[in-house]
């Protein structure tokens, strides 16, 4: 059974950086990849676009391919969208299937602030978007926790359902959703920063324009 990798976020809006790292991670891990839009993100302000608008953008962005899939489970829960709750639900559904929680290097460096962060390693492998040899500026507690867990996509991590830290060498695209929202608020086009289907869907980006609800 192929591993299942998950990439969470507000996707406010979904942009080519999200899709690029998700796609490359899927290929590196030979995994199915689910994108999970958060309802109430624990570590950032609430999204500008509504859940319905963000889902519509994701559906448009993911059309026409079969590696990346949309998973709406976090939008169906009340309260903060904690990754540990999502992984516990996925583990119940998938048994011993290898699960991989995907995240950026900066997010991983801040893992100690995450809700029940130690439990994450019991539920999934952690796939970190960082080039091999990436200089880790991790807190001492996290650095100690990671010792003996670091591995690469080519190693035998698939024999375990959880517990390893995979460093994923993906194409770094410095695309910022904050910058895209700013461009839209100024009436400028984010073409080539967003998937073409998202840019061209009438009314889909109105949430970010002045005077729109």
């Amino acid at each position: 059974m192929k591993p299942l990798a998950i990439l969470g976020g507000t996707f406010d809006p979904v942009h080519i950086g999200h899709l690029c790292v998700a796609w490359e991670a899927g290929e590196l891990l030979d995994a199915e990849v689910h994108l999970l839009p958060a309802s109430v993100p624990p570590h950032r302000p609430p999204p500008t676009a509504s859940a319905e608008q963000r889902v519509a953008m994701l559906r448009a962005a993911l059309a026409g391919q079969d590696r990346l899939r949309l998973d709406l489970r976090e939008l169906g829960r009340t309260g903060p969208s904690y990754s540990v709750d999502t992984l516990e639900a996925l583990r119940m559904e998938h048994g011993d299937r290898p699960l991989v929680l995907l995240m950026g290097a900066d997010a991983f460096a801040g893992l100690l602030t995450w809700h029940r962060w130690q439990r994450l390693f019991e539920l999934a492998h952690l796939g970190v978007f960082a080039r091999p040899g990436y200089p880790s500026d991790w807190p001492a507690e996290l650095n100690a926790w990671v010792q003996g867990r670091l591995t690469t996509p080519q190693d035998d991590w698939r024999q375990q359902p959880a517990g390893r830290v995979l460093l994923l060498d993906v194409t770094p695209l410095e695309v910022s959703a904050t910058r895209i929202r700013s461009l839209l608020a100024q009436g400028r086009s984010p073409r080539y920063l967003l998937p073409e289907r998202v840019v061209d869907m009438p009314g889909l980006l109105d949430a970010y324009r002045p005077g729109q609800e």
Side-chain angles (χ1 to χ4, degrees):
M1 183 181 297
K2 284 189 175 185
L4 171 61
I6 67 169
L7 178 64
T10 54
F11 302 107
D12 185 33
V14 59
H15 56 64
I16 60 169
H18 297 132
L19 301 177
C20 180
V21 295
W23 186 273
E24 288 195 37
E27 292 196 321
L28 281 171
L29 303 173
D30 189 23
E32 178 184 342
V33 182
H34 287 192
L35 274 60
L36 287 85
S39 176
V40 183
H43 299 288
R44 62 181 62 193
T48 299
S50 68
E52 294 76 14
Q53 289 168 319
R54 290 183 291 128
V55 168
M57 286 186 277
L58 281 160
R59 290 194 192 283
L62 299 181
Q65 57 77 48
D66 58 7
R67 182 184 290 280
L68 308 181
R69 301 184 182 181
L70 182 57
D71 188 325
L72 302 180
R73 71 182 65 233
E74 291 190 349
L75 295 178
R77 290 203 311 258
T78 58
S81 299
Y82 291 128
S83 294
V84 67
D85 295 334
T86 298
L87 289 173
E88 286 180 337
L90 286 168
R91 181 56 66 202
M92 289 288 291
E93 294 173 18
H94 292 276
D96 289 335
R97 181 181 186 181
L99 301 178
V100 184
L101 175 63
L102 301 172
M103 65 181 68
D106 290 345
F108 184 73
L111 198 68
L112 299 186
T113 67
W114 288 38
H115 183 58
R116 298 167 61 204
W117 67 269
Q118 298 97 330
R119 174 71 170 146
L120 298 174
F121 293 89
E122 300 173 8
L123 297 166
H125 305 289
L126 273 63
V128 183
F129 301 134
R131 295 186 179 281
Y134 174 81
S136 60
D137 187 18
W138 301 331
E141 184 178 357
L142 179 59
N143 200 50
W145 193 269
V146 166
Q147 295 307 308
R149 297 179 185 270
L150 285 174
T151 189
T152 69
Q154 293 74 38
D155 289 335
D156 63 352
W157 59 274
R158 293 175 183 80
Q159 305 305 313
Q160 304 170 252
R164 308 298 292 273
V165 177
L166 295 148
L167 297 183
L168 304 178
D169 183 9
V170 299
T171 304
L173 294 180
E174 297 298 326
V175 181
S176 163
T178 301
R179 173 63 176 165
I180 292 169
R181 293 194 297 270
S182 175
L183 290 173
L184 287 163
Q186 297 170 44
R188 296 168 61 187
S189 172
R191 189 170 295 277
Y192 306 121
L193 296 175
L194 299 180
E196 187 174 354
R197 285 189 174 95
V198 174
V199 174
D200 290 340
M201 286 190 71
L204 204 54
L205 298 175
D206 284 349
Y208 306 106
R209 297 190 171 105
Q212 301 292 331
E213 294 298 328

